[in-house]
Amino acid sequence: MSKLAELKKRLSTVWDLRSTSSLLSWDQQTYMPPQGSGPRAQQMATIDRLAHEILTADETARLLDEAATELNGAADDSDEACLIRVARRHYNRGANVPGSLVEEFSRTCSLAHENWVEAKRSSDFPLFAPHLEKIWELARQIAGARGYQEHPYDALLDEWEPGTTAAEVRAMFDEMRPRLVALVKRIRESGVNLDASALHQRFDLERQIAFAKFMAEEIGYDFNRGRQDISAHPFCTSFSAHDVRITVRYFERFLAPSLFGTLHEAGHALYEQGSPPQFNHTPLRGGASLGIHESQSRWWENLVGRSRPFWKRYFPKLAGFFPEQLHGYTVDQFYRAINRVEPSLIRVEADEVTYNLHIMIRFELELQIMEGKLAIKDVPDAWNDRYSEYLGVSVPNDGSGCLQDIHWAHGILGYFPTYSIGNVVASQLWERMLEDLPNVDELVENGQFKSVLGWLVEHVHSRAKKYLPKELVQKVTGEGIQCGPFLRYLETKFGELYALDR
Ligand code: ZN
């Protein structure tokens, strides 16, 4: 057997174990009975440990070196060369962090999670603070063990957005911040108030589910290789390109989460279903990074799903599902309802314009904590000050302030920038697609998504995880990641909706 074949065999064991762990996690979040959580946590920990041990063993390092020698001379972008590069990144990230530190981090986060739930419920930040302190202290140690070139934050960010640095994110936000803050201000002062009441009525849940599945199928989600279930927090997960699942959350008195949650998660799922089958069981399967993944979900949720052409076609169909509720509303009223801008406290409910301001605040605080410039006890004040400065809202309590998201309690640090990178990259890709499909509005209005999806498959999905996110964007658009297209998109769309040029 060649060394490359031996390496592939070894890696397939690691990635099969990881997929199995993901399947257990999917089950936990959908159908597992409540009392199953204790034993399930142990089962998943066992599988994760086995995968980690095989990945970080000396044998893996030896095979990586030998296979690289064997491949000497292969093109840089060949599947084999990319496989070795990606596998080496995974190996390095895991092998340099002592197992005892990984275990302590995981234990600390479990405990923190319980306390966060209670702290959030009772808006009691001091209850959570000691746990958060410990999490950041361990994260600093992990960053040190992994190594970094410029900033310790880079070592955390690299896990989600390989090859991207805090300095690059900071530069992106520095460009975005003044234009977004100005746009929010102009919208607030426009005197225009978009009426969203169409979305706030009683909508039968079974019908919502049926419409959500219909929409997902329309844009190209293949239910022979997927399924749609319900969970408290919507997500997409996959175990191969042949089994990609999404979950959605439904509210009886608010229609938007099921519509846009479905398009969002189906966007993630299309990316996974577009991953070439030969990459199953390897580290090349799936998406380039969380940011690129988010570019795909936001593409379908916002660029397609919150557009006028989309609802010209689908509003009459939606009204067929809900004739009583939507009788009397026009497409245009509906389009305005789903695009209402309102600075708010909660990131997950934010509109397209204010969304990235939430991310910026989180990123700025994370950087300051990492640098030791912000003490954990001062996080609520720093949080509230920025919400008032960037969004013009005052935070009534920490439950709807700095305790709102689960990420910190799970030890997921350096993650938030990927949401903004996704928004930015989606618009860059869209501008590039317009060169090939200038009639995209017409295609969307006629429900002809094959060519739109086909474009994404050709330029993004088929490349799976072969390239770093910035390499991928460079290959597709000829440029690095930049926010110009995204800002232009927002200013044009919301300039029209809020009559800002009058
Ligand atoms: Zn997403």
Side-chain angles (χ1 to χ4, degrees), residues 274-296:
S275 176
Q278 70 266 26
F279 294 158
N280 284 343
H281 320 283
T282 81
L284 293 184
R285 178 177 76 78
S289 68
L290 289 181
I292 304 296
H293 235 299
E294 198 67 6
S295 79
Q296 299 305 293

Side-chain angles (χ1 to χ4, degrees), residues 264-265 268 294 297 419:
H264 183 98
E265 299 308 332
H268 283 302
E294 198 67 6
S297 56
Y419 291 120

Side-chain angles (χ1 to χ4, degrees), residues 113-170:
H113 181 251
E114 283 169 37
N115 280 275
W116 168 76
V117 172
E118 178 52 26
K120 181 177 187 243
R121 197 190 56 77
S122 53
S123 262
D124 183 356
F125 185 77
L127 177 66
F128 181 55
H131 300 277
L132 190 57
E133 191 118 31
K134 184 87 190 284
I135 285 176
W136 275 101
E137 183 196 311
L138 293 172
R140 272 187 217 104
Q141 291 177 31
I142 289 173
R146 283 183 185 161
Y148 52 86
Q149 301 222 309
E150 290 169 21
H151 196 287
Y153 192 87
D154 299 347
L156 304 182
L157 182 59
D158 188 76
E159 183 171 355
W160 322 110
E161 206 59 24
T164 304
T165 65
E168 289 166 329
V169 175
R170 199 198 304 255

Side-chain angles (χ1 to χ4, degrees), residues 42 49 66 146 149 214 249 254 267 269 303 314 372 392 457:
Q42 190 183 324
R49 180 173 51 76
E66 290 173 352
R146 283 183 185 161
Q149 301 222 309
F214 162 69
R249 151 171 77 164
F254 188 26
L303 301 181
Y314 290 103
V457 170

Side-chain angles (χ1 to χ4, degrees), residues 374-386:
L374 176 64
I376 295 296
K377 69 172 173 43
D378 298 327
V379 165
D381 284 345
W383 178 283
N384 299 351
D385 287 350
R386 278 186 171 74

Side-chain angles (χ1 to χ4, degrees), residues 229-248:
D229 297 274
I230 298 176
S231 70
H233 303 281
F235 66 96
C236 168
T237 187
S238 77
F239 323 116
S240 74
H242 298 97
D243 189 349
V244 182
R245 307 181 185 192
I246 63 174
T247 69
V248 181

